[in-house]
Structures are given as C-alpha cells and as structure tokens.
Amino acid sequence: KQEVTQIPAALSVPEGENLVLNCSFTDSAIYNLQWFRQDPGKGLTSLLLIQSSQREQTSGRLNASLDKSSGRSTLYIAASQPGDSATYLCAVHGYSGAGSYQLTFGKGTKLSVIP
Amino acid sequence: DTAVSQTPKYLVTQMGNDKSIKCEQNLGHDTMYWYKQDSKKFLKIMFSYNNKELIINETVPNRFSPKSPDKAHLNLHINSLELGDSAVYFCASSRTPDAGYTFGSGTRLTVV
C-alpha cells in the first residue's frame, strides 16, 4: 500500500527566502506525482504535475523534481512571498488493482511566509 | 466557467438525516472521484467512477452511495448521518484514470 510522507509538517520563513518542501513515497511504481496548494477553508489548486518519465517541471517560481527510483520529490519555491502561505500537498498516482488508479496524498506542509 | 463545481459549499444537518452533495465537471473528463478530508486535514479517496462505472470503493460505509447519472456528474448521497461524518468532501475529475486531477472547492459537512 502506497504511503506518502511530507517533511517538514510546518515551515516558517521570512519573505524572499528560497525554500524546499520534501515528499517521499514507498511504492515507486507510480504514473505521476502532483503538487497541490490548499488555502485555509478552500479547495485544492494544482501547481505542478510530473509524469513518471519526467525528472522535473517548472511553473514560474516553482520547480518540482521527481526521483522515482528513490521515491522522492521536492518542491522548490524561489523568492518566497507572503501570498505563498498555504498548505502544500504532495500526491502520487498509482495503480491500485482491478483497473483502478488512486491518488494518495501526504499530510501536507503548512508554509508561512513572514513579511 | 468553473471546472469542477460542488453544491452546497456548506451543509449543517442533524444526526440521522439523509443528505446529498452534488458535483459537476465541465472539462469533458471521463473519471470522477470523491475524497474526504478529515479534521486532521488528511485527504483520502472514497470513490472513483470511470464513464459512470464504479471502479474504487475504499472501505466506505454503505451509508455512502455515489450516483453518476452521466459522465459529467457524480453525486454523493449519505444516509443516516453520524457525527463522525463531519468533514470536508472534495469532488475531483481527471481526463483518464492516470492523468492529473482537478478538484472542486469542497463541501464542509457538519453533523450536529
């Protein structure tokens, strides 16, 4: 059974810093990995989707890497801003048997960027 | 032009009642899902439907019954609501079962 771990659980940084969020997963047989952002009381916003054949994806100040063989992904946020404050969720997509696929989530990293 | 929309956004109801949450996606996706986010903010899959057919039912009590009248809709009906059902329920969709997901904004269910 796939398990996804995110470290750290919470992170507080001053504005302007670069930071890295970590995600690890136990089963490397995945189709893709998706990073989401969740603001308090809100839904999930997809940030980046990395297919299993890819090593990284970039969108603006965000860069996500994937090392499938070691079961690791990182989300790099450059020049952090107060508006980046949110919970960041890592989710891996794998086959769960009987023709079904499943997105398994980590518990998230709560990021606070201090002005 | 919302991609995945859920109604209602908030739902407060008494124990024992029956309620439904509706979900619609206008992305033309074939697969739809229901996820539950508990009080500790952990998201876990409940159901997955592909082209109106159930393909995942993750040990959810049979008081929960998903209904997919067509590919664009996946509603969640809950019978005999219990206090422990209080959570945020998210609907999602993907183009294919192994593609990226798009989530709705969630329905916060409170059972009193």
Side-chain angles (χ1 to χ4, degrees):
Chain A
K1 185 179 177 182
Q2 180 75 268
E3 291 185 6
V4 180
T5 303
Q6 291 187 245
I7 295 174
L11 180 63
S12 184
V13 300
E15 181 177 2
E17 272 204 7
N18 303 326
L19 58 102
V20 175
L21 307 181
N22 296 293
C23 173
S24 61
F25 46 96
T26 54
D27 185 350
S28 62
I30 67 170
Y31 287 94
N32 57 57
L33 183 146
Q34 203 165 353
W35 281 93
F36 293 89
R37 167 185 173 140
Q38 186 174 26
D39 294 280
K42 304 287 186 183
L44 280 71
T45 301
S46 180
L47 298 173
L48 289 163
L49 171 68
I50 311 178
Q51 298 296 341
S52 61
S53 58
Q54 297 175 320
R55 299 285 290 187
E56 65 178 321
Q57 281 286 337
T58 297
S59 175
R61 294 182 294 109
L62 305 179
N63 175 277
S65 68
L66 174 64
D67 184 343
K68 201 176 75 162
S69 60
S70 67
R72 295 176 188 273
S73 175
T74 61
L75 179 66
Y76 175 82
I77 302 177
S80 58
Q81 303 171 357
D84 295 330
S85 298
T87 296
Y88 290 80
L89 295 162
C90 169
V92 297
H93 204 172
Y95 185 65
S96 55
S100 65
Y101 301 79
Q102 185 167 320
L103 196 64
T104 303
F105 281 85
K107 293 186 178 181
T109 294
K110 185 174 182 180
L111 172 66
S112 298
V113 181
I114 313 301
Chain B
D1 58 347
T2 304
V4 180
S5 60
Q6 297 179 226
T7 54
K9 190 172 175 63
Y10 300 97
L11 183 54
V12 181
T13 188
Q14 291 185 327
M15 285 176 54
N17 284 349
D18 302 339
K19 290 294 179 185
S20 292
I21 306 172
K22 295 184 177 181
C23 178
E24 176 181 5
Q25 54 96 3
N26 61 4
L27 298 166
H29 288 172
D30 286 340
T31 310
M32 296 185 72
Y33 313 84
W34 277 107
Y35 276 78
K36 179 180 180 179
Q37 188 171 41
D38 60 26
S39 58
K40 296 183 179 179
K41 308 299 183 186
F42 188 52
L43 272 154
K44 189 171 181 183
I45 190 166
M46 300 174 68
F47 299 103
S48 168
Y49 265 71
N50 188 38
N51 275 320
K52 303 196 303 174
E53 285 191 30
L54 177 67
I55 54 175
I56 289 180
N57 178 346
E58 282 286 318
T59 60
V60 176
N62 56 16
R63 298 182 296 104
F64 290 79
S65 55
K67 287 184 173 38
S68 182
D70 55 56
K71 211 169 69 167
H73 296 83
L74 181 61
N75 304 322
L76 184 65
H77 188 75
I78 315 169
N79 289 327
S80 303
L81 278 155
E82 301 176 356
L83 292 176
D85 297 332
S86 296
V88 182
Y89 292 85
F90 285 98
C91 178
S93 71
S94 63
R95 182 175 51 85
T96 58
D98 59 343
Y101 286 40
T102 302
F103 278 79
S105 57
T107 296
R108 182 174 294 276
L109 171 65
T110 304
V111 183
V112 297

